[in-house]
Amino acid sequence: QVQLVESGGGLVQAGGSLRLSCAASGRIFSTWATGWFRQAPGKEREAVAAIKGRATLTYYSDSVKGRFTIAADADRNMVTLQLNNLKPEDTAVYYCAAASDVGVLSSPLEQEYYDYWGQGTQVSVSS
């Protein structure tokens, strides 16, 4: 079992930065991948970024590519998401998730493969 707790959300102005952390109890790197997803009010939850195990293989949605960076910290059993050059449309609840389904290796941004989810952290960006 893996339990995930997100932190680091907050309110920032457009152009600002935040760093989200996903702390795991249980061995997060025993899962195949860890991802960040977000859900804005009135919208479907969407993928933001993913990282395979402890690897340097990372994946991003087009909307955040070049602005967000996902990283794995094996020593701290944690995955982080650095958010730079934030825009008002980045406002959402951000969720960390881990995938024990090996199918995630072929589609790391597909939510269906993620079976462990955190409670989410709110990111609000003002214009």
Side-chain angles (χ1 to χ4, degrees):
Q1 277 283 3
V2 177
Q3 293 182 322
L4 306 172
V5 178
E6 304 94 336
S7 62
L11 172 65
V12 296
Q13 291 186 332
S17 298
L18 284 172
R19 182 181 177 89
L20 307 184
S21 296
C22 175
S25 62
R27 296 180 62 82
I28 191 171
F29 297 112
S30 67
T31 59
W32 291 109
T34 306
W36 285 94
F37 299 82
R38 68 186 182 185
Q39 187 167 21
K43 294 188 176 181
E44 297 284 324
R45 188 167 59 191
E46 63 176 358
V48 174
I51 186 166
K52 288 184 179 177
R54 304 185 188 198
T56 56
L57 296 173
T58 56
Y59 306 84
Y60 299 93
S61 66
D62 289 342
S63 61
V64 307
K65 200 171 294 183
R67 300 188 297 122
F68 292 7
T69 303
I70 188 171
D73 186 339
D75 291 340
R76 298 171 66 190
N77 205 34
M78 178 179 291
V79 173
T80 60
L81 184 69
Q82 179 68 39
L83 292 66
N84 294 330
N85 190 20
L86 282 160
K87 304 176 181 180
E89 51 264 41
D90 294 318
T91 295
V93 178
Y94 283 69
Y95 298 91
C96 174
S100 62
D101 188 331
V102 69
V104 74
L105 295 181
S106 60
S107 302
L109 294 177
E110 288 293 333
Q111 298 184 48
E112 65 180 283
Y113 296 117
Y114 288 83
D115 42 1
Y116 300 106
W117 291 84
Q119 294 300 306
T121 185
Q122 176 71 46
V123 171
S124 299
V125 185
S126 62
S127 57

